[in-house]
């Protein structure tokens, strides 16, 4: 692992200014870029630590606050350890903001992030990688579909609602994806049922997308997030192995 620097930055978007966290190797040279999409709880110390770990493997990592229309991160005040059984009101505040992330909004915001990276001396030329967690898996898949020439790889971990019956279900962009994809599904996840997993896999296969889809047996939704009650260390380390392997192959 190399030495890492992290900083808070601002990204101009068509709808305003999005705050973000940027982590990168401390050598000042350009490195392959990765956008890390937050889970529902947003940009916070744990997510920054994940970005730092990824940067230590040789990547320039951008973590945008996708809820920036509601303020700078942290948009919702969070406890140091998140247990929804004790704090259900946290998710009640977050859900309306999640519903605002329509296809048009995601297309604009993801384009702004990619434009920022394209202009940064810390990001190497060429397509980027994506990784997303929980709702971030949806954002990663949509970004890969909206910007096929600019994304080489996209991963989603314990994602929810990736292949629903809705007209705006993320799996419907499969025909536009050119990136290699990886999905690590949580076990017994009501937000990503076996039926949804099959629908996603069928859509990707029909579109000729290179992908790998795996079930993390015994791991709950949120298994990568160490500041939550859902964290599973073994599954989280498996996620790192899969993610780093994907990025090494494609960037």
């Amino acid at each position: 692992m190399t030495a890492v620097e992290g900083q808070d930055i601002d990204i101009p978007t068509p709808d305003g200014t999005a705050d973000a966290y940027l982590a990168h190797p401390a050598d000042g040279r350009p490195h392959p870029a990765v956008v890390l999409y937050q889970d529902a709880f947003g940009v916070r110390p744990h997510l920054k630590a994940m970005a730092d770990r990824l940067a230590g493997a040789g990547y320039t990592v951008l973590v945008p606050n996708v809820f920036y229309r509601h303020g700078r991160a942290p948009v919702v005040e969070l406890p140091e350890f998140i247990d929804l059984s004790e704090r259900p009101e946290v998710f009640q505040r977050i859900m309306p903001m999640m519903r605002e992330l329509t296809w048009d909004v995601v297309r604009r915001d993801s384009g702004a992030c990619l434009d920022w990276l394209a202009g940064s001396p810390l990001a190497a030329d060429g397509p980027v990688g994506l990784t997303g967690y929980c709702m971030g898996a949806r954002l990663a898949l949509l970004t890969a579909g909206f910007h096929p020439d600019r994304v080489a790889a996209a991963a989603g971990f314990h994602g929810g609602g990736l292949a629903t019956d809705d007209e705006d279900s993320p799996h419907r962009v499969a025909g536009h994806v050119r990136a290699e994809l990886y999905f690590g599904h949580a076990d017994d996840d009501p937000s990503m049922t076996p039926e949804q997993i099959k629908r996603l896999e069928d859509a990707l296969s029909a579109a000729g997308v290179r992908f790998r889809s795996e079930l993390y047996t015994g791991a709950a939704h949120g298994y990568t997030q160490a500041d939550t009650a859902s964290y599973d260390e073994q599954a989280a380390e498996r996620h790192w192995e899969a993610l780093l392997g994907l990025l090494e192959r494609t960037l």
Side-chain angles (χ1 to χ4, degrees):
M1 301 291 283
T2 62
V4 168
E5 293 180 355
Q7 62 195 99
D8 295 322
I9 63 165
D10 288 335
I11 299 174
T13 80
D15 299 336
T17 301
D19 55 304
Y21 178 70
L22 184 74
H24 55 88
D27 57 14
R29 296 184 299 179
H31 292 269
V34 179
V35 178
L36 190 159
Y37 279 124
Q38 65 179 67
D39 63 351
F41 300 122
V43 182
R44 58 196 191 280
H46 166 66
L47 222 61
K48 291 181 178 182
M50 293 183 71
D52 290 347
R53 178 168 175 174
L54 190 52
Y59 300 96
T60 292
V61 186
L62 180 66
V63 190
N65 168 25
V66 302
F67 295 150
Y68 70 90
R69 293 170 181 82
H70 294 270
R72 302 181 71 86
V75 178
V76 176
E77 184 178 352
L78 298 167
E80 289 187 12
F81 184 77
I82 304 168
D83 185 345
L84 286 185
S85 67
E86 298 179 0
R87 298 290 298 275
E89 75 278 3
V90 171
F91 211 69
Q92 291 173 3
R93 291 190 59 194
I94 293 170
M95 282 298 296
M97 293 187 287
M98 292 175 59
R99 287 193 286 266
E100 292 176 3
L101 299 177
T102 64
W103 277 27
D104 286 341
V105 168
V106 175
R107 183 182 285 107
R108 293 197 300 272
D109 286 356
S110 59
C113 289
L114 296 178
D115 288 345
W116 191 92
L117 286 169
S120 172
L122 295 173
D125 293 337
V128 308
L130 312 170
T131 184
Y133 303 88
C134 181
M135 57 165 269
R138 171 181 178 268
L139 301 180
L141 178 52
L142 289 177
T143 299
F146 294 155
H147 308 283
D149 294 333
R150 307 178 74 177
V151 177
F157 299 93
H158 49 84
L162 299 180
T164 69
D165 293 326
D166 297 338
E167 291 185 2
D168 62 352
S169 174
H171 80 286
R172 300 190 189 281
V173 304
H176 301 285
V177 173
R178 297 182 184 176
E180 181 178 343
L181 306 183
Y182 178 90
F183 295 98
H185 304 290
D187 197 6
D188 194 22
D189 185 349
S191 70
M192 193 65 190
T193 63
E195 292 75 19
Q196 280 200 58
I197 293 173
K198 184 178 186 306
R199 184 182 293 136
L200 174 63
E201 294 172 347
D202 287 348
L204 296 175
S205 294
V209 176
R210 293 168 296 150
F211 76 95
R212 188 172 179 182
S213 174
E214 298 184 324
L215 183 67
Y216 284 35
T217 304
H221 182 88
Y223 60 78
T224 62
Q225 304 301 299
D227 60 350
T228 76
S230 300
Y231 180 63
D232 183 314
E233 183 177 6
Q234 183 176 357
E237 289 305 312
R238 177 181 172 184
H239 129 270
W240 282 114
E241 182 178 355
L243 175 59
L244 292 172
L246 173 69
L247 297 177
E248 185 178 351
R249 289 193 302 272
T250 56
L251 296 185

